[in-house]
């Protein structure tokens, strides 16, 4: 959750939508970056999608419920 929020904020700082972006790395690379197993990354992304918090299509991510994502990450505020 915190990683996706951070990605959104970085996109917003560049003038792009904070709620829709492409992951530049594969799920395996994301796992290595976050020190998580590939299976864990896949399972978490699937749960977030099943819960309606994000929509994911290959590497395209859309944040559907930024407030929920922030609560999961233990942060307040909202992505715009």
């Amino acid at each position: 959750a915190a990683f996706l929020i951070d990605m959104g904020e970085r996109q917003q700082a560049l003038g792009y939508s904070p709620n829709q972006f492409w992951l530049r790395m594969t799920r395996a690379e994301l796992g290595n970056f976050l020190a998580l197993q590939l299976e864990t990354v896949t399972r978490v992304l699937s749960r977030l999608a099943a819960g309606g918090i994000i929509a994911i299509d290959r590497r395209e991510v859309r944040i559907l419920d930024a407030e929920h994502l922030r609560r999961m990450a233990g942060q307040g505020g909202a992505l715009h």
Side-chain angles (χ1 to χ4, degrees):
F3 174 81
L4 294 175
I5 290 167
D6 183 61
M7 283 292 299
E9 289 173 349
R10 289 173 185 263
Q11 292 297 311
Q12 187 174 33
L14 295 172
Y16 299 105
S17 170
N19 296 313
Q20 185 171 352
F21 49 85
W22 287 87
L23 292 176
R24 301 240 181 242
M25 51 183 100
T26 65
R27 290 178 187 199
E29 292 168 336
L30 182 58
N32 286 334
F33 179 75
L34 297 173
L36 299 171
Q37 295 293 319
L38 169 62
E39 295 81 11
T40 302
V41 172
T42 300
R43 188 172 45 250
V44 169
L45 291 174
S46 294
R47 282 186 194 162
L48 292 172
I53 300 164
I54 67 168
I56 189 161
D57 182 17
R58 298 178 198 179
R59 292 189 187 183
E60 181 182 10
V61 175
R62 285 185 297 126
I63 297 175
L64 304 174
D65 189 345
E67 288 297 321
H68 192 134
L69 200 59
R70 283 191 175 282
R71 284 193 305 273
M72 291 177 71
Q75 300 178 8
L79 294 173
H80 301 290

